[in-house]
Amino acid sequence: MLAGVLGWPIHHSKSPVLHGHWLRRYGIDGAYLPMAVRPNSLRTAVDGLRALGFRGCNVTIPHKEAVAALADLRTPTVERLGSANTLVFREDGSLWADSTDGYGFIENLKQGADLSRLRGGTVVMLGAGGAARPVIGALLEQGVSTIRLSNRSPEKAEAIADLVGSAVQPVPWAEREAAVADCALLVNTTSLGMVGQPALEMRLDDLPPDALVTDLVYAPLETTLLGAARTRGNPVVDGLGMLLHQARPGFHAWFGTDPDVDDDLRSAVLSS
Ligand code: NAP
């Protein structure tokens, strides 16, 4: 049983380590391979994997949008976002596409916190790049009523608000700190705070003491944002679990086992 991940470049991907861990743990006779595929070779590569008998694959940057258009069948999430990260070759030869980042985000939060507080609540989200859209979709599915979306380039936040509707309210980047005053959840989806990137400047003085704080950045695991929130007593959830949980639907579809996300897996991925 074969699966893998297509991207350009691909050497940074943690997916081979985490799927490899699960394959060994569940004693499955299969393999999961990293595959460097140039943007103009995507269709040829996908056809080649089908011909080679692969069960399916993950796709990462820069192929997520192009692959959604290639698929024969798309989940409602893929239809809505126009992007996919998980492909399955079905027995009739058709290509099925899903987008599991939003699922991974919510499952990670659920493992670390009680999400009932989100229903009808307000979320402040920093960043309106590729990772923000699936997170917004998943939060609205959880019953969040308002998402205040703050992005350095305001037009990107406005484009998402135009697409999603009045539940998403763009907030100027300079006003992000005041926007958290009554929020139930603060999420960083920018790349700020990641190793090699500038720091995220975010004072938390106005954040309610019980507001949950999470960061999609997982390198470092404890970002400055999470450290500052933890210090003032707010509950925090780090971003690594999102990466691990988004991989579960694909593994289940290709290898027939719904895998666990636990400390062994976290250690395997962190030490890779
Ligand atoms: P992206 O599409 O490149 O978006 C980057 C975001 O960061 C944009 O909102 C961008 O604002 C903002 N940004 C970058 N530099 C900035 C600066 N100097 N000041 C203010 N804002 C800045 O990236 P992405 O795919 O959304 O990923 C974002 C982060 O999430 C990355 O660190 C990625 O590793 C992480 N991520 C984690 C997971 C997980 O499973 N935990 C999944 C996906 C992504 P502009 O629009 O103004 O440029």
Side-chain angles (χ1 to χ4, degrees), residues 127-128 130-131 151-153 156 189-192 194 216 239 242-243:
N151 196 53
R152 173 181 62 175
S153 312
K156 285 198 201 161
T189 78
T190 75
S191 47
L192 294 174
M194 193 167 99
L216 266 59
M242 175 177 170
L243 176 78

Side-chain angles (χ1 to χ4, degrees), residues 61 64 101 126-132 150-154 156 173 188-192 194 197-199 215-218 239-244 246:
I61 292 168
K64 287 184 172 187
D101 281 337
L126 309 177
S150 188
N151 196 53
R152 173 181 62 175
S153 312
K156 285 198 201 161
W173 185 242
N188 176 40
T189 78
T190 75
S191 47
L192 294 174
M194 193 167 99
Q197 298 294 315
D215 201 328
L216 266 59
V217 171
Y218 56 83
L240 181 62
M242 175 177 170
L243 176 78
L244 307 181
Q246 63 76 31

